[in-house]
Every structure is written in structure tokens, then in C-alpha cells.
Amino acid sequence: MTHFPKLIAFLAFLLPGAALAQQWGAVGIGPGGAYGYAHDWNTERQAYGSAARGCEWDCTEIRTFFNTCAAMAVASNGGWGWGTGASRGAAESRAMGYCRQYGNGCRVRVWACSG
């Protein structure tokens, strides 16, 4: 019985952090420079909807991610790439690498991190 208060304190410490550590995000792009992003949502559907609203439902490509960072890059010819990574820089680098496979003049249009 003497360990019970310690167990409760330990669980109270862990549970809020565990809940915050598991979060969905989304990034999206559309024509004419439209973009949207979302981070730290409890469900994938919420993250997707938030990103879509951010680009006023004009995003043609939306990708979701979980507990990481993501970015989307767009080429001058409309080609694009997206990537995830443990940091903004890693996600942007991966998105740029994929974008360059489909076009030139790639630039990161949107990024976000969750979790």
C-alpha cells in the first residue's frame, strides 16, 4: 500500500506527456500557391481537415503524418515532392529531393511538425 501514492504520481506524470507525444499533422498544396498545414491534432481526420481549411479547400494534394515533421516542395513546372523527418530541416531536405525528380526550381512551400 505504501507504493500506491508513488504509482499514482508516476502515472500522472507519464500520461499527459504520452497524450501530447502522439499527434497528427498534415501539409497540403494546391494551384496558384495555395497551401495549408496542421499540427498537433488528436486524429488524422482532424489534421487533414485543418490543413484543407487552411488552403480554403483548394489543396489538390494533402499528406498526413504522425509524430514527426513534414514538408512539401513545388517545382516551377508544377512537379512536387513531400517528405518527413525528425526535424524541419530533414523533412524539407527529403521533400526537395523528391521534388527535383519531377522538376527544376523547387522551393519548399509548406512545412509543419507534430508531437
Side-chain angles (χ1 to χ4, degrees):
M1 198 72 165
T2 58
H3 295 292
F4 188 72
K6 290 180 183 178
L7 177 62
I8 296 297
F10 179 72
L11 290 175
F13 174 76
L14 282 183
L15 291 178
L20 291 175
Q22 298 182 15
Q23 299 292 308
W24 285 94
V27 289
I29 56 169
Y35 70 91
Y37 65 92
H39 60 89
D40 297 330
W41 286 94
N42 292 325
T43 69
E44 183 178 23
R45 186 177 188 168
Q46 289 172 322
Y48 186 97
S50 181
R53 284 187 302 278
C55 64
E56 299 178 359
W57 299 97
D58 201 24
C59 285
T60 53
E61 300 293 338
I62 297 177
R63 298 295 183 267
T64 59
F65 56 94
F66 186 75
N67 277 5
T68 193
C69 295
M72 294 184 99
V74 180
S76 56
N77 69 350
W80 61 277
W82 94 287
T84 60
S87 67
R88 174 185 175 181
E92 287 181 345
S93 178
R94 187 167 283 148
M96 289 291 288
Y98 285 122
C99 181
R100 287 183 188 116
Q101 293 177 19
Y102 301 103
N104 297 316
C106 292
R107 295 180 63 146
V108 172
R109 184 172 298 165
V110 63
W111 67 272
C113 295
S114 272

